[in-house]
Amino acid sequence: MAKVLVTGGAGFLGSHLCERLVGQGHDVLCVDNYFTGSRANIAHLIGNPRFEMMRHDVTFPLYVEVDQIYNLACPASPIHYQFDPVQTTKTSVHGAINMLGLAKRVKAKILQASTSEVYGDPEIHPQVESYWGHVNPVGLRSCYDEGKRCAETLFFDYWRQHGLKIKVVRIFNTYGPRMHPNDGRVVSNFIVQALGGNDITLYGDGSQTRSFCYVDDLIEAMIRTMNTPNDFTGPINIGNPREFTIRELAEQVVAMTRSRSKLVFAPLPSDDPRQRQPDISLARAVLGWEPTIDLRDGLERTISYFRSQLRAAAE
Ligand code: NAD
Ligand code: UDP
């Protein structure tokens, strides 16, 4: 059993990862500054002797003793990462330098939660790991996209220069319970709007595509990646290759919630990628993994989570 550090552990993905690692018998140290994460996400783990929480901002150095590091700290939704773009870049870049420095000192294996955004608005479809991307370096999304690209560079330079054991996963759109209800990401937005009987906001004409992965599948792939042989670094795509238009997603959410919400159209945000679909051949071959939960099942679980959240808030 290992001592594992999860940065961003009080966030959506981080809290599921901490839960799974504790369940596997590891000692987990969760580090988070609560920018988008919350104590509620990890409340069920507090008191477990295998779980420890530390409030800390990864842009500052951290001195702890661990065997593995999952580096997830970074706001992930466009609303949150554009709120303080300079801090977003600092979190990705200074955060990566600090966590890589820590990994170097204690000889820990370190995994970076990178993103499909490194491909930008892709000209290659579906996206393969060898594609270098099509990213605007000076736009509203750049703080996130370029911050994550620079973090990947740092990981590979620490690997080449210092022989660190690194893993880089490129995560595609993932959804599920514990998404922040106001974080503006499309799945949580549509569900919260539909359950509240409010208009469903389709940006643009809704023909842009995304491929949605349920959180449990994603966490399984992340842990399998951490456990690959030392000579495997990635980058490796993880996500669900089934592609939907945003309009199809809206219609499915409305049907499943039996909502009377109407679809309304709003301007497309700048640099919004037209299409996104992971090629997961590498994950299939190296991890023996592919997603098992389809959109309908995943939406059912997510809708029931938001229903209970809204009910609790109303009481
Ligand atoms: P999230 O916003 O729920 O979680 C991010 C966590 O990081 C939060 O708990 C936040 O408080 C914490 N954090 C932010 N800045 C920090 C800092 N400076 N120091 C310490 N903690 C800090 O988002 P998420 O969806 O759980 O994403 C987790 C990671 O996965 C992110 O790195 C994100 O870029 C990556 N990712 C997620 C998706 C997705 O679809 N969910 C897709 C691609 C990549
Ligand atoms: N989107 C939308 N309505 C919303 C929120 C998002 O139409 O209320 C669109 C958004 O423009 C994008 C897609 O849904 O094309 C996915 O957006 P999200 O912010 O979830 O993730 P990302 O753009 O980072 O993939």
Side-chain angles (χ1 to χ4, degrees), residues 115-116 122 124-127 170-175 179 186-187 207-215 217-218 237-246 248-249 273-280 289 291 293-295 299:
T115 169
S116 53
I124 302 274
H125 195 76
Q127 290 78 58
R170 292 185 177 152
I171 302 171
F172 283 65
N173 298 64
T174 302
Y175 69 99
M179 292 184 90
V186 68
V187 175
S207 65
Q208 69 272 35
T209 68
R210 294 292 186 274
S211 308
F212 300 102
C213 186
Y214 187 69
V215 59
D217 280 331
L218 199 284
N237 289 340
I238 50 178
N240 191 321
R242 180 79 167 82
E243 185 181 9
F244 294 87
T245 66
I246 295 303
E248 284 169 331
L249 174 72
R274 289 290 319 150
Q275 53 181 2
R276 186 180 288 153
Q277 183 192 30
D279 180 317
I280 60 163
W289 170 90
I293 299 159
D294 67 15
L295 186 65
L299 283 179

Side-chain angles (χ1 to χ4, degrees), residues 141 173 185-186 189-190 201 203 208 210 246 272 276:
R141 294 175 87 104
N173 298 64
R185 278 186 276 188
V186 68
N189 251 21
F190 285 179
T201 52
Y203 300 159
Q208 69 272 35
R210 294 292 186 274
I246 295 303
D272 199 279
R276 186 180 288 153

Side-chain angles (χ1 to χ4, degrees), residues 1-243:
M1 292 301 116
K3 190 150 178 43
V4 186
L5 167 64
V6 178
T7 75
F12 160 49
L13 295 182
S15 62
H16 285 275
L17 179 61
C18 288
E19 186 179 304
R20 187 83 72 94
L21 291 168
V22 166
Q24 291 180 347
H26 300 293
D27 282 329
V28 174
L29 172 61
C30 167
V31 160
D32 204 295
N33 70 350
Y34 296 121
F35 174 49
T36 52
S38 69
R39 283 179 199 78
N41 283 345
I42 46 160
H44 59 298
L45 295 172
I46 304 280
N48 187 315
R50 298 208 176 284
F51 182 76
E52 191 182 345
M53 175 66 211
M54 183 192 286
R55 185 186 196 119
H56 175 81
D57 183 323
V58 295
T59 61
F60 296 96
L62 177 67
Y63 295 93
V64 293
E65 310 303 315
V66 291
D67 309 308
Q68 296 180 4
I69 303 170
Y70 288 86
N71 188 35
L72 274 66
C74 185
S77 87
I79 290 183
H80 283 135
Y81 70 64
Q82 289 169 23
F83 173 75
D84 185 349
V86 172
Q87 178 64 19
T88 299
T89 303
K90 280 187 187 168
T91 293
S92 276
V93 177
H94 293 185
I97 291 171
N98 289 329
M99 292 311 110
L100 286 160
L102 169 62
K104 182 172 162 231
R105 182 178 64 80
V106 300
K107 300 188 172 48
K109 199 159 45 162
I110 180 165
L111 177 145
Q112 168 68 356
S114 192
T115 169
S116 53
E117 288 282 324
V118 300
Y119 301 122
D121 190 9
E123 301 132 308
I124 302 274
H125 195 76
Q127 290 78 58
V128 284
E129 290 86 351
S130 54
Y131 177 48
W132 291 353
H134 178 225
V135 178
N136 176 358
V138 294
L140 296 178
R141 294 175 87 104
S142 312
C143 58
Y144 183 73
D145 300 9
E146 298 288 22
K148 289 284 188 179
R149 286 168 67 94
C150 183
E152 287 201 10
T153 307
L154 285 161
F155 268 67
F156 278 86
D157 282 333
Y158 268 79
W159 170 68
R160 275 185 288 261
Q161 201 174 327
H162 299 298
L164 247 65
K165 291 172 222 150
I166 64 153
K167 315 279 172 194
V168 173
V169 293
R170 292 185 177 152
I171 302 171
F172 283 65
N173 298 64
T174 302
Y175 69 99
R178 301 199 204 121
M179 292 184 90
H180 195 298
N182 302 322
D183 79 355
R185 278 186 276 188
V186 68
V187 175
S188 45
N189 251 21
F190 285 179
I191 294 176
V192 171
Q193 289 166 341
L195 292 177
N198 299 315
D199 289 345
I200 309 280
T201 52
L202 282 171
Y203 300 159
D205 61 5
S207 65
Q208 69 272 35
T209 68
R210 294 292 186 274
S211 308
F212 300 102
C213 186
Y214 187 69
V215 59
D216 289 0
D217 280 331
L218 199 284
I219 298 300
E220 176 66 30
M222 266 178 128
I223 294 176
R224 285 195 196 192
T225 305
M226 182 62 105
N227 294 329
T228 50
N230 284 345
D231 62 354
F232 182 76
T233 58
I236 183 166
N237 289 340
I238 50 178
N240 191 321
R242 180 79 167 82
E243 185 181 9

